[in-house]
Amino acid sequence: MKNGQATIKDIARELKISFSTVSRALKDYPGISEETKRKVKEMAIKLNYRPNAIALSLRKNRSFNIAVIVPEVVHFFFSTVISGIEEIAKKRGYNVILTQTNEKLDKEKSSIEAMLSNQIDGFLISYSKETTEFSHFENIIDQGFPIIFFDRIPDIPNSINVKVDDFEGAYNAVSHLISQGYENIAHLTGPKNLKISQERERGYREALANHGMPIREEMILECPMGTNEEGKRLALSMLDQLNPRPDAFFANNDMAAVGVMMACRDSGYRIPEEIGIVGFSNWQFCTMLEPGLTSVSQPGIQMGKKATELLLDIIEKKVELDTIPNSITLNTELFIRKSSMRLHKKS
Amino acid sequence: MKNGQATIKDIARELKISFSTVSRALKDYPGISEETKRKVKEMAIKLNYRPNAIALSLRKNRSFNIAVIVPEVVHFFFSTVISGIEEIAKKRGYNVILTQTNEKLDKEKSSIEAMLSNQIDGFLISYSKETTEFSHFENIIDQGFPIIFFDRIPDIPNSINVKVDDFEGAYNAVSHLISQGYENIAHLTGPKNLKISQERERGYREALANHGMPIREEMILECPMGTNEEGKRLALSMLDQLNPRPDAFFANNDMAAVGVMMACRDSGYRIPEEIGIVGFSNWQFCTMLEPGLTSVSQPGIQMGKKATELLLDIIEKKVELDTIPNSITLNTELFIRKSSMRLHKKS
DNA sequence: AATTTGTTTGCAATCGTTTGCATTGTATTT
DNA sequence: AAATACAATGCAAACGATTGCAAACAAATT
């Protein structure tokens, strides 16, 4: 029976000793005789004793739970981050409480509220697309809760962040397209309020500028939802209306890039000969498409691991707060596949 | 400050009343004057009071946490189930504690151990590929913990399960291939110890048998990892060695089916004219491939929701244990796309 | 005025554990 | 034999909340 779970008191009663002695014996405190320790441990096994983590939490004011708040679970990138988080958390004895906001601000706020009652030891957050104002985060920071933001970084002074170098990733991607001889490179951006979108767009612009190429504003369209339907629709409209038409697309994410591929297929353009495509995230399916989709990798697992290690170090006060780097930036890598290889054809 | 969190005692001290009165006032117990209730609630807001869920858990012997144990988080199907679980759990005031086993039995066991100390209210489990023996589950069932298994169902008497009709899904998929005129249909199975793999294989066999077609054992190969590399390798070997060669493949999962597509592309077979392909799960990327991959959908979100509703009903004793259906079976749906449309060509 | 009734509030135990301090018992020193 | 030291154990408070029961007080009834 669940409620028949043995406690420290049961062990004490069986052995006719006080429960403080039992507690100390189980923890190998000094000042308890070997004999007693042995007997206590044997009885613990016999009664199938398990320490009650809830009672411990109450006593220690620590729950060994960390909250993870992500926009969506069904999302390749976030699921890799979650995987990295879970791995480190478990290794260090913490539980991961998972919540998703479905990109909704009010869900984000209510999740945080709920977690605050739960004596969470810390937060790992990637905020929603709707979030443009960060006071709900600042409140909990002020209350002394450790928070680490990953991927989507808020504009909060001294927030602790783990992200990838979006600018560099985008810069490299566009530079690669230029080196392949594409001359009218379009960009499908992410939601404008997300820093990652801004940074990727900045990378796009600087790559063009540094290679002496003109920046045409009509070649830059916002693709806020980042679905393939949206990407397809926008790509079709650009191919249809712009003159000269784009001969390459750099998309803010892989889904949108797939949309572009579909648009090209539908309008009869050959990839990569007539149109080159590069995505962002390097999702699993990049290698499964035909042609393979060139993409900028985001090291999700590593991001999850780093963020969690940092958070737990802070929680366990292993690091002085003023020695914490307030931002860890991970490197991206450009995986070049057929979708952008106009010059040297490989798979 | 985190440890400066106001408690019920702080409110009591401020108002110079006892903390039991505060507790009752906050909960709108009868027998507390309106005047007192008002003052208490005002003070609660003023002090930014939040009930301590840990203390409540200890008192009530309920944590409002449920444990979710899955083989992998970075997996389209499981991530959809998790999403459904999270949605219902949050709606009903529960937290989701997420653990992944990475398909390892020892991780599965240690996760369960860890959860048992955590006063979890119940479990939602899909076990690992390595798990062939279920005593670690039976132990916790015997201890009175509610468990619901989803997708991967153990061979335990009276276990409560939520699954899809794998047999029917496979039967329909293979029948569809037959109706398209394919005559040598191969099957890449999943790990033989998983019931889902067995059921899908059974569906394959019965579909052939019921249509009066021979079953050739050499056309059935185990694809235990379910990766596209593995699928590709096995498909290539079958295409190379069997006579007559397979003219269609029914794969246990979509990744393996993609591997088959790659194999066909590499060996110059046209899809669907020369070889038809059907996968299982209907992952996102099925629509993004060219040709689109026909696949049997598994309603992951719905599975997560159903399983969670059932679990919470049991936890909250809303249902009598003997009235619980010990198995809920959800329907699959065959999404027919180009990869298997030899007769009536559509997208 | 004494008794009953009802309203409002407080006391104290409880959940399972940790831990500072006090107590007991035994061995050692003088 | 008395004093001291030390090892081993127990007591009780604490963590933050809930809740059965008792107490206090006021109002209503006799």
Side-chain angles (χ1 to χ4, degrees):
Chain A
M1 278 302 296
K2 189 181 163 198
N3 291 344
Q5 183 55 257
T7 73
I8 234 172
K9 295 188 184 178
D10 296 316
I11 299 178
R13 195 178 324 109
E14 288 294 315
L15 295 169
K16 302 199 197 314
I17 56 179
S18 78
F19 53 86
S20 40
T21 303
V22 174
S23 170
R24 281 186 268 246
L26 288 171
K27 290 281 157 64
D28 274 328
Y29 265 53
I32 301 291
S33 69
E34 288 305 320
E35 169 71 2
T36 308
K37 285 184 188 173
R38 191 185 51 71
K39 279 198 292 188
V40 167
K41 287 176 183 172
E42 275 175 10
M43 186 56 71
I45 291 170
K46 187 173 162 203
L47 297 181
N48 195 25
Y49 168 77
R50 274 174 228 289
N52 183 320
I54 298 282
L56 229 173
S57 296
L58 183 59
R59 188 80 232 284
K60 295 285 182 75
N61 210 18
R62 299 256 283 97
S63 67
F64 291 93
N65 289 164
I66 58 174
V68 174
I69 299 183
V70 291
E72 278 183 310
V73 174
V74 186
H75 186 290
F76 179 71
F77 174 66
F78 287 122
S79 72
T80 59
V81 180
I82 292 169
S83 179
I85 291 172
E86 198 272 343
E87 188 180 329
I88 298 298
K90 189 195 287 178
K91 192 174 285 170
R92 290 181 57 167
Y94 287 74
N95 296 312
V96 171
I97 297 191
L98 181 69
T99 355
Q100 58 185 340
T101 61
N102 292 321
E103 304 280 9
K104 296 274 178 283
L105 175 58
D106 59 339
K107 277 206 172 191
E108 185 170 286
K109 286 183 174 170
S110 66
S111 295
I112 288 179
E113 276 301 309
M115 288 304 132
L116 287 180
S117 289
N118 264 284
Q119 306 303 105
I120 284 296
D121 289 345
F123 287 91
L124 293 169
I125 298 181
S126 200
Y127 59 81
S128 86
K129 284 181 185 169
E130 283 184 8
T131 306
T132 54
E133 186 268 335
F134 307 110
S135 60
H136 52 305
F137 300 138
E138 289 177 292
N139 282 342
I140 54 178
I141 295 176
D142 290 347
Q143 284 179 53
F145 282 91
I147 305 189
I148 299 208
F149 294 95
F150 60 90
D151 195 48
R152 303 186 182 175
I153 305 305
D155 195 7
I156 296 179
N158 301 320
S159 69
I160 303 172
N161 312 319
V162 179
K163 60 188 178 69
V164 300
D165 195 334
D166 291 287
F167 170 79
E168 189 198 55
Y171 188 96
N172 291 342
V174 175
S175 299
H176 159 70
L177 284 170
I178 294 170
S179 77
Q180 292 291 313
Y182 296 106
E183 291 179 340
N184 292 288
I185 303 172
H187 180 33
L188 297 180
T189 77
K192 296 276 190 188
N193 64 313
L194 294 185
K195 193 112 174 193
I196 51 176
S197 311
Q198 296 162 13
E199 285 292 292
R200 290 176 198 174
E201 181 175 339
R202 194 166 67 82
Y204 163 81
R205 288 174 184 270
E206 270 196 39
L208 290 184
N210 285 356
H211 290 83
M213 297 176 70
I215 291 167
R216 294 167 55 196
E217 295 299 331
E218 71 274 21
M219 298 280 273
I220 303 174
L221 280 186
E222 187 175 359
C223 189
M225 302 193 297
T227 60
N228 51 5
E229 290 84 1
E230 190 184 42
K232 180 174 176 180
R233 186 167 44 75
L234 295 176
L236 282 176
S237 77
M238 288 171 108
L239 288 173
D240 193 43
Q241 290 166 19
L242 297 184
N243 189 2
R245 68 152 176 84
D247 63 354
F249 287 83
F250 168 53
N252 179 76
N253 73 62
D254 285 336
M255 289 285 265
V258 169
V260 175
M261 283 182 71
M262 291 170 157
C264 294
R265 213 175 275 142
D266 283 10
S267 6
Y269 291 107
R270 281 171 303 139
I271 307 168
E273 293 80 0
E274 293 171 293
I275 291 181
I277 305 176
V278 178
F280 207 109
S281 274
N282 195 36
W283 287 14
Q284 283 174 312
F285 61 68
C286 288
T287 58
M288 304 191 292
L289 297 167
E290 179 58 36
L293 177 62
T294 298
S295 190
V296 180
S297 77
Q298 284 179 291
I301 302 240
Q302 202 196 340
M303 184 180 286
K305 286 184 178 179
K306 279 273 182 216
T308 310
E309 273 165 357
L310 194 50
L311 179 68
L312 299 186
D313 283 351
I314 293 171
I315 289 172
E316 294 170 354
K317 304 254 191 318
K318 285 198 177 159
V319 289
E320 291 302 313
L321 261 176
D322 41 340
T323 68
I324 291 171
N326 81 327
S327 214
I328 292 181
T329 302
L330 305 174
N331 287 326
T332 60
E333 191 181 345
L334 182 65
F335 282 82
I336 299 174
R337 303 197 179 88
K338 205 168 155 189
S339 73
S340 66
M341 294 271 293
R342 176 143 79 168
L343 298 185
H344 316 284
K345 290 204 186 134
K346 281 190 209 160
S347 147
Chain B
M1 276 302 300
K2 188 181 164 199
N3 290 342
Q5 183 54 258
T7 73
I8 234 172
K9 295 188 183 177
D10 295 316
I11 299 179
R13 196 179 322 109
E14 287 295 315
L15 296 170
K16 300 198 197 317
I17 56 177
S18 79
F19 53 84
S20 40
T21 304
V22 174
S23 170
R24 281 186 268 245
L26 288 171
K27 288 282 158 63
D28 272 329
Y29 265 53
I32 301 290
S33 68
E34 288 305 320
E35 169 71 1
T36 310
K37 284 184 186 172
R38 191 184 50 72
K39 280 199 290 189
V40 167
K41 286 176 182 170
E42 275 175 12
M43 186 57 69
I45 291 170
K46 188 173 160 204
L47 297 182
N48 194 25
Y49 168 77
R50 273 175 228 290
N52 183 321
I54 298 282
L56 231 172
S57 297
L58 183 59
R59 187 80 230 283
K60 296 284 181 78
N61 211 17
R62 299 258 283 96
S63 67
F64 291 93
N65 290 165
I66 58 175
V68 174
I69 300 183
V70 292
E72 278 183 310
V73 175
V74 187
H75 185 289
F76 179 72
F77 173 66
F78 287 122
S79 72
T80 59
V81 180
I82 293 169
S83 180
I85 291 171
E86 197 273 342
E87 189 180 327
I88 298 299
K90 190 196 287 179
K91 192 174 285 170
R92 292 180 57 168
Y94 287 75
N95 298 311
V96 172
I97 297 191
L98 181 70
T99 351
Q100 58 185 339
T101 61
N102 292 320
E103 304 280 9
K104 296 273 178 283
L105 176 58
D106 58 340
K107 277 206 169 188
E108 185 170 285
K109 287 182 174 170
S110 66
S111 294
I112 288 178
E113 277 300 308
M115 288 305 132
L116 287 179
S117 290
N118 264 284
Q119 306 304 106
I120 283 298
D121 290 343
F123 287 91
L124 293 169
I125 299 181
S126 200
Y127 60 81
S128 85
K129 284 181 185 169
E130 282 183 10
T131 307
T132 53
E133 186 268 333
F134 307 110
S135 60
H136 52 305
F137 299 139
E138 290 178 292
N139 282 342
I140 54 179
I141 294 175
D142 290 346
Q143 284 177 54
F145 283 91
I147 305 188
I148 299 206
F149 294 94
F150 60 90
D151 194 51
R152 301 186 183 174
I153 306 306
D155 196 7
I156 297 179
N158 301 320
S159 69
I160 304 172
N161 312 319
V162 179
K163 59 186 178 70
V164 299
D165 195 333
D166 292 287
F167 169 79
E168 189 198 54
Y171 187 95
N172 291 342
V174 175
S175 299
H176 159 71
L177 284 170
I178 295 170
S179 76
Q180 291 291 312
Y182 295 105
E183 292 180 338
N184 292 288
I185 303 172
H187 180 33
L188 297 181
T189 76
K192 296 275 190 189
N193 63 312
L194 294 185
K195 193 115 175 188
I196 50 175
S197 311
Q198 296 163 13
E199 284 294 292
R200 291 176 198 174
E201 181 174 337
R202 194 166 67 83
Y204 162 83
R205 287 175 185 270
E206 270 195 39
L208 290 184
N210 286 355
H211 290 83
M213 296 176 69
I215 291 167
R216 292 166 57 197
E217 296 298 332
E218 70 273 23
M219 297 282 272
I220 303 173
L221 279 186
E222 186 176 359
C223 188
M225 301 193 297
T227 60
N228 51 4
E229 291 84 0
E230 191 183 41
K232 180 175 176 180
R233 187 167 45 74
L234 295 175
L236 282 175
S237 78
M238 287 170 106
L239 289 172
D240 192 44
Q241 289 166 20
L242 297 183
N243 189 359
R245 67 152 177 85
D247 63 355
F249 287 84
F250 168 53
N252 178 76
N253 73 60
D254 286 336
M255 289 286 265
V258 170
V260 175
M261 283 182 71
M262 291 171 156
C264 294
R265 210 175 277 141
D266 283 12
S267 4
Y269 292 108
R270 282 170 303 141
I271 308 168
E273 293 80 1
E274 294 172 294
I275 291 181
I277 305 176
V278 177
F280 207 109
S281 274
N282 195 36
W283 288 12
Q284 283 173 312
F285 61 67
C286 289
T287 58
M288 303 193 288
L289 297 167
E290 178 58 37
L293 178 63
T294 297
S295 190
V296 180
S297 78
Q298 284 179 291
I301 301 239
Q302 201 197 339
M303 184 180 286
K305 287 183 176 178
K306 279 273 182 217
T308 310
E309 273 164 358
L310 195 50
L311 179 67
L312 298 186
D313 283 350
I314 293 171
I315 289 172
E316 294 170 355
K317 304 257 190 320
K318 285 199 178 158
V319 290
E320 291 303 313
L321 259 175
D322 41 341
T323 69
I324 291 171
N326 81 327
S327 214
I328 291 181
T329 302
L330 305 174
N331 287 325
T332 60
E333 191 181 345
L334 182 64
F335 282 82
I336 298 174
R337 302 197 180 87
K338 206 167 154 187
S339 72
S340 65
M341 294 272 291
R342 176 143 77 169
L343 298 185
H344 317 284
K345 289 205 184 132
K346 281 190 209 163
S347 146

